[in-house]
Amino acid sequence: MPRPREFEPDTVLNAAMLRFWERGYRATSIEDLVKATGVKPGSLYSAFPGGKRALFLKSLERYSKLVVPEKLGELEAPGASIAEIRGYFDGLVRDLLSPEGRQGCLLVNTAIEKAAEDDEAAAVVRGHLARLERCMTHALENATRRGQVRASLDCTGSAKLLVATCQGLMVVGKANPDETLLRAIVDNAFAALG
Amino acid sequence: MPRPREFEPDTVLNAAMLRFWERGYRATSIEDLVKATGVKPGSLYSAFPGGKRALFLKSLERYSKLVVPEKLGELEAPGASIAEIRGYFDGLVRDLLSPEGRQGCLLVNTAIEKAAEDDEAAAVVRGHLARLERCMTHALENATRRGQVRASLDCTGSAKLLVATCQGLMVVGKANPDETLLRAIVDNAFAALG
DNA sequence: GTTGTTCTTGAATGAACACTCATATACGTT
DNA sequence: AACGTATATGAGTGTTCATTCAAGAACAAC
């Protein structure tokens, strides 16, 4: 009996996520989201109770479920090893150098912009970092078994370092998207695993 | 003959820098700065032509000249070596774990919040990264001469990696200020210099 | 066609924002 | 004491912000 929805909430959420990703939380206004989604304020607020912040938190989760797996690629597969870690880093560099990819990573941006003042947002970021670390650890363990890295390698410790390295890559890349610089960082990170 | 200034511009700039450091550019309002400095809007605008953004850019430069050297410590000295790099990283970890230090680094925060949309701010950040890289390279060269690292070490490349690592440390630390994690990152970064 | 329910709409709300300006003020000079 | 000059003041500017709400609209059931 009720009037049917004229928009798909997931589509709206995707558009909102993109804006937050490009511009950050504070710099994205409701009017921006209205323009980007075509959905008027009233509908936006009734579809996403909790307003802008709730929409942002849902965007973070959507990013984790939609964008992150695409970036991780085969790194999350059980058989992942050095090549998949390398592939992930190369993808990061490629993104940072492309005009559309300069926005970096929504979760890294959130860590800096919001984590200190918003525990819920910080928790999503922590979850992402833990997920990254899990992948990296697993891939390093596979690499150790296959003799692709030195046998003495501390897999869990090196995984934590690799996670930090790719966060740092994103910071450096945002201020200075220079291919030589970014590739040097990646190459040296991998040389250390040798 | 004119009426004398009732405040020291440098003092005001320091207070403004602290607010920008704690809260970021967008989240810091003129009213915040008025409260923090005790200087009324009119005086603020006449003392710092260019308004909020000019005050921010001046804050970045002030941070570079006041805060950064303190954090770098002996790392900028000509004789700096592995111990000084280690000291710098340990200081970062200590800061990230302390209640006052959770704000991280103003220049890293700026890289994420503003670099993509403000070329002048990005340039200051790039200058900072270059300065860090110069220190690190020099210290690694000293370390090589003294046999503190493996002879095969690529000093300039490793310096770039160390710079990225400390940016990453700041991102991770902001979302997850966990001592064990942060120390593991630092330890593994140094293990790689072997 | 009427009714009930949920949706859409966009103007309206009040707060916060960056910024300005007329006025008042404090000083050295005369 | 009177003047010229640079500063201090804070109410006021117009804008933008997140959010709300009354009114209208679309559908299924009857």
Side-chain angles (χ1 to χ4, degrees):
Chain A
M1 322 91 139
R3 176 175 180 175
R5 269 238 159 75
E6 293 182 7
F7 58 90
E8 198 57 49
D10 276 357
T11 310
V12 169
L13 194 52
N14 282 351
M17 180 202 74
L18 277 173
R19 299 303 276 180
F20 285 131
W21 188 5
E22 282 165 7
R23 302 225 218 272
Y25 177 76
R26 283 196 132 91
T28 303
S29 69
I30 297 293
E31 207 199 337
D32 285 336
L33 297 176
V34 168
K35 273 182 194 155
T37 62
V39 176
K40 304 290 176 288
S43 301
L44 216 50
Y45 276 85
S46 79
F48 299 94
K52 186 182 173 185
R53 182 170 168 275
L55 200 43
F56 180 68
L57 290 175
K58 279 196 181 296
S59 293
L60 290 185
E61 278 159 23
R62 181 131 272 256
Y63 183 87
S64 281
K65 289 195 179 101
L66 224 78
V67 179
V68 173
E70 188 192 321
K71 303 279 180 198
L72 286 176
E74 293 302 306
L75 185 52
E76 277 193 314
S81 180
I82 280 290
E84 283 74 19
I85 302 182
R86 182 86 208 192
Y88 174 64
F89 273 86
D90 286 344
L92 288 185
V93 172
R94 204 184 318 118
D95 284 348
L96 286 168
L97 294 173
S98 82
E100 324 89 47
R102 286 215 44 193
Q103 51 210 316
C105 167
L106 173 58
L107 290 157
V108 174
N109 300 353
T110 301
I112 296 298
E113 188 191 353
K114 250 192 155 285
E117 70 185 43
D118 189 328
D119 252 355
E120 229 169 316
V124 179
V125 175
R126 278 194 296 273
H128 172 66
L129 294 178
R131 175 186 186 177
L132 254 184
E133 189 183 323
R134 221 177 304 123
C135 292
M136 296 282 188
T137 304
H138 185 70
L140 287 178
E141 283 165 354
N142 280 340
T144 304
R145 266 191 290 275
R146 297 177 200 171
Q148 296 171 329
V149 296
R150 64 186 147 85
S152 65
L153 192 78
D154 167 11
C155 291
T156 63
S158 296
K160 292 182 208 303
L161 174 58
L162 284 177
V163 170
T165 304
C166 70
Q167 314 305 309
L169 197 65
M170 231 101 65
V171 174
V172 173
K174 206 143 185 186
N176 195 7
D178 176 88
E179 179 159 12
T180 310
L181 171 61
L182 299 182
R183 294 228 175 276
I185 291 170
V186 174
D187 287 343
N188 274 274
F190 277 83
L193 304 173
Chain B
M1 320 87 141
R3 176 174 180 175
R5 272 238 155 75
E6 294 183 4
F7 59 88
E8 197 57 49
D10 277 356
T11 310
V12 168
L13 194 51
N14 282 350
M17 181 203 73
L18 277 172
R19 299 303 276 183
F20 285 130
W21 188 5
E22 282 166 6
R23 302 222 219 272
Y25 177 75
R26 264 181 215 273
T28 302
S29 68
I30 298 294
E31 207 200 335
D32 283 337
L33 297 176
V34 168
K35 274 182 193 156
T37 62
V39 176
K40 304 293 178 286
S43 300
L44 215 49
Y45 277 85
S46 80
F48 299 94
K52 186 182 173 183
R53 181 169 168 277
L55 199 44
F56 179 69
L57 290 174
K58 279 197 178 295
S59 293
L60 289 185
E61 278 158 23
R62 181 130 272 257
Y63 182 87
S64 281
K65 287 194 179 103
L66 224 78
V67 178
V68 173
E70 188 193 320
K71 304 278 180 197
L72 286 177
E74 294 302 307
L75 183 52
E76 278 194 315
S81 180
I82 279 290
E84 283 74 20
I85 303 183
R86 181 86 209 192
Y88 175 64
F89 273 86
D90 286 344
L92 288 185
V93 172
R94 203 183 319 116
D95 283 348
L96 286 168
L97 295 172
S98 82
E100 323 90 46
R102 287 218 40 196
Q103 51 210 317
C105 168
L106 173 59
L107 291 159
V108 174
N109 300 352
T110 300
I112 296 296
E113 189 192 352
K114 251 193 154 286
E117 70 184 43
D118 189 328
D119 252 356
E120 228 168 317
V124 179
V125 174
R126 279 193 295 274
H128 172 66
L129 293 178
R131 175 186 186 177
L132 253 183
E133 189 183 325
R134 220 177 305 124
C135 292
M136 296 280 189
T137 304
H138 184 71
L140 286 178
E141 284 164 355
N142 280 341
T144 305
R145 268 191 289 276
R146 296 178 200 170
Q148 296 172 329
V149 296
R150 63 186 148 85
S152 65
L153 193 77
D154 167 11
C155 291
T156 63
S158 297
K160 292 181 208 303
L161 174 59
L162 284 177
V163 170
T165 304
C166 72
Q167 314 304 310
L169 197 65
M170 232 101 67
V171 175
V172 173
K174 206 143 184 183
N176 195 7
D178 176 89
E179 179 159 12
T180 310
L181 171 61
L182 300 182
R183 294 229 175 275
I185 292 170
V186 175
D187 287 344
N188 275 273
F190 277 83
L193 304 174

